[in-house]
Amino acid sequence: MAARYIQKAVDALHSTISGGIAAQLRAVETSESLSTNALTDPQAVVKARMPLDNRSPLVQVFEETWAHDMAAGQRHSMITTNCNVVITTLSHDADLEAAELFVRRYVTAMVETIANDPTLGGAAMSAVIMGGDSAASVGDQSASRIAHVLDVEVRTHTP
C-alpha cells in the first residue's frame, strides 16, 4: 500500500516542478534584472537519483523516507513522503562563485514553484519545503558539479 502513496507524492511533485519551473525562473530573472534565459531551463526533470547524469542543469525528484501519518493513524491511509529535489549544474570554468549563485537563484525559483501550488495540483494534502543542503564536487580543470538538495515533505491520502 505505501508504495502507491510514495509514487503519488513523487509523481505530483515532479509534475508541479515540470510544469512550473520555467515560469519561476523567468520571474527570478526579472526580479534580479537578469537577461531572459540567463537561468537556463533544466535539461531534464527526472523521477530518480541520477548521480552520474551530467546534463546541466538537472532536477532530480525522488523519495528519501516515508512514514504513516501518526496523528491520523495508520487506518486513515495518510502517508508523509520526504522527497528530495536535487538541483545540479556543472561549472566549466574557474568561476565557482557564479555557479553557486546560479544554483541559489534556481533554489529561489524551485521554492516559489512549490509554494505556488502547495497541494501539487490537488494530488497532495500538502507539500512543504523543510530545508535544504548544498554540496560541491570540485573536479579537475574541466568541470565542477554544484548541487543543492531541497527536502520536501509531501502528505498524501488515498492514491
Side-chain angles (χ1 to χ4, degrees):
M1 173 176 70
R4 290 181 294 170
Y5 293 88
I6 295 165
Q7 191 63 49
K8 182 178 182 179
V10 171
D11 287 347
L13 188 55
H14 176 268
S15 292
T16 296
I17 292 168
S18 294
I21 190 65
Q24 289 305 319
L25 289 168
R26 302 299 80 80
V28 171
E29 290 167 347
T30 299
S31 72
E32 297 200 18
S33 301
L34 301 172
S35 61
T36 302
N37 295 319
L39 299 174
T40 54
D41 292 349
Q43 286 193 14
V45 179
V46 299
K47 293 187 281 187
R49 289 175 180 87
M50 301 182 78
L52 300 178
D53 191 326
N54 286 325
R55 289 179 284 184
S56 177
L58 175 67
V59 176
Q60 302 164 60
V61 180
F62 53 90
E63 82 279 358
E64 189 64 33
T65 63
W66 67 271
H68 289 282
D69 189 319
M70 299 312 286
Q74 186 172 345
R75 290 175 292 160
H76 293 285
S77 301
M78 292 194 305
I79 298 273
T80 299
T81 304
N82 293 309
C83 296
N84 281 345
V85 176
V86 182
I87 303 162
T88 58
T89 190
L90 293 176
S91 175
H92 295 286
D93 59 30
D95 193 356
L96 295 181
E97 287 183 28
E100 291 275 359
L101 182 57
F102 178 89
V103 171
R104 283 187 208 111
R105 288 172 168 158
Y106 234 91
V107 168
T108 299
M110 190 66 67
V111 167
E112 291 300 317
T113 299
I114 295 167
N116 285 341
D117 188 3
T119 65
L120 307 178
M125 294 166 49
S126 65
V128 178
I129 298 172
M130 303 304 289
D133 190 20
S134 62
S137 174
V138 180
D140 56 17
Q141 298 296 328
S142 61
S144 296
R145 180 185 300 268
I146 309 294
H148 194 93
V149 180
L150 292 174
D151 175 22
V152 183
E153 183 180 275
V154 180
R155 295 181 67 216
T156 55
H157 185 274
T158 312

